[in-house]
Each structure stands twice: as C-alpha cells, then as structure tokens.
Amino acid sequence: MLFDRKKFVESIIAIADTKLVNEERYYYYSSEKMRAKFLPFFSECVSWESEEERTIVFDYMRKYGVQDQVERDFSPSRQVINREVLYVPVYETWSAADALLMLMTYRNSPKLVQATVQEHRNFIQQIAGNLLSEEPITWIYKDPSEYDRAIDRGYSYMTFPVIARGASYFEYVWKLQEKQSAESKEQEALNKTVKEVAQLSSLVTSTLSQLHSV
C-alpha cells in the first residue's frame, strides 16, 4: 500500500487552527469520539499500490480468516451504496485503509503459535509499505473499548509510528481545546460573579446609607 506521509503530516499540523471541540455541552475526554474524528486523517492518506496487491490481501484474508470473519466480510449482504441497496460482499466497499484495518484483526487468536503470529506480522509489514519506518516495530493491540467481539480485536493502527505520533498530537490539541473551552466558560462565570458582587456591594452600601439617614 501507499501512504502519503506529506499529506498526513500537513493535515495533522493544520488541526491546531481548527475547532475540534464544537459542542457547547462537550468538554470531556471521549476516546471513542476522538478515534472517530482522527480516523479520516489516516484513511484519506492510504491507497492501493496496485489491483494485484488488493487481490493478494483479500485472498489472504479468505484463506486465514475464521468462519465468522469470512462470512461477514466476503459473503453477499445488504449494502447501501450511493443510496442504492445492493447485495454484495462488504469487502467490495472497503477503501485501502479499511482493508488494512480489517487485515490487522485477522489471525488474532491468543492460541496461535509464535511462528504463525510472526508470519501474519510479516504479511502486514509487506502490505503496509511506507507506513512503517526503519525503526523497530512495537506491535500494539487494540484497547478493549475498540471492539465488541473477539474476532474484531487484533492490532491497532497505532502500531505504525507515524500514525501514533500524529494521534498523540491530535489528542493533545483536542484536550487543550477542551481545557481552553472550559477555561473560557469558567472565566465568563467568574466575570458574571464579580459583576454581581460589585452590584450587591453597591446595594449594601447604598441601603446602609439610607438606613443611617432614617
């Protein structure tokens, strides 16, 4: 697969000038919401190197997927594509990024022998292309909050160093904006309180003066 590092880095850097937290009531950390907003930055920069590569990946998944995975991903099912209902295998609707993310959930049983685990990792490395750097790879598994069923666990795309760094920057910007929003709200509340204190102090002073003049 091909990964446009330049586009990815530039788009991630640009988020500092955008408003990530734009809901009035939303000033708390949500890993699920953050993942949903970050994923497009990754997905839009991944593409197939060739049609042959696409075929190799899907043949591999059909060969090594467990029954539930193969039935879910490669059997015809109801899909809505461009507002039209079609009965096609879901894999036909996947982008290159979707396919890579799904590939990383295959062969994920903890019962696999190390040789099989390494074989699968080697295949992912072969497909991932320039998503990987020259650095040693730390294989990172998904957080339990990222999947509902055992067949959907597997490796996180944070395994790719450039993605992990981009995600960290995204998270820090997100949290900074949350805190800035909270600070702004608290400042508004403080300013209102200060104004009310001044008004009440004036009323107390005025009323006391009137009381003395009675």
Side-chain angles (χ1 to χ4, degrees), residues 165-181:
R165 288 170 187 152
S168 293
Y169 181 78
F170 183 89
E171 179 177 353
Y172 296 147
V173 171
W174 178 292
K175 289 183 176 180
L176 174 61
Q177 289 189 10
E178 281 187 331
K179 295 301 182 184
Q180 288 173 331
S181 296

Side-chain angles (χ1 to χ4, degrees), residues 35 105 108 141-155:
R35 284 195 299 268
T105 69
N108 63 41
Y141 287 88
K142 286 184 178 181
D143 185 88
S145 66
E146 296 182 67
Y147 60 88
D148 297 320
R149 299 188 299 168
I151 63 170
D152 295 316
R153 63 179 218 168
Y155 300 119

Side-chain angles (χ1 to χ4, degrees), residues 70 128 158 208 213:
V70 174
M158 298 305 154
L208 180 60
S213 67

Side-chain angles (χ1 to χ4, degrees), residues 120-140:
H120 184 53
R121 289 177 176 180
N122 289 344
F123 185 76
I124 293 173
Q125 287 180 255
Q126 172 191 335
I127 296 303
N130 64 336
L131 267 162
L132 296 170
S133 62
E134 299 300 320
E135 306 170 36
I137 301 172
T138 299
W139 291 91
I140 300 171

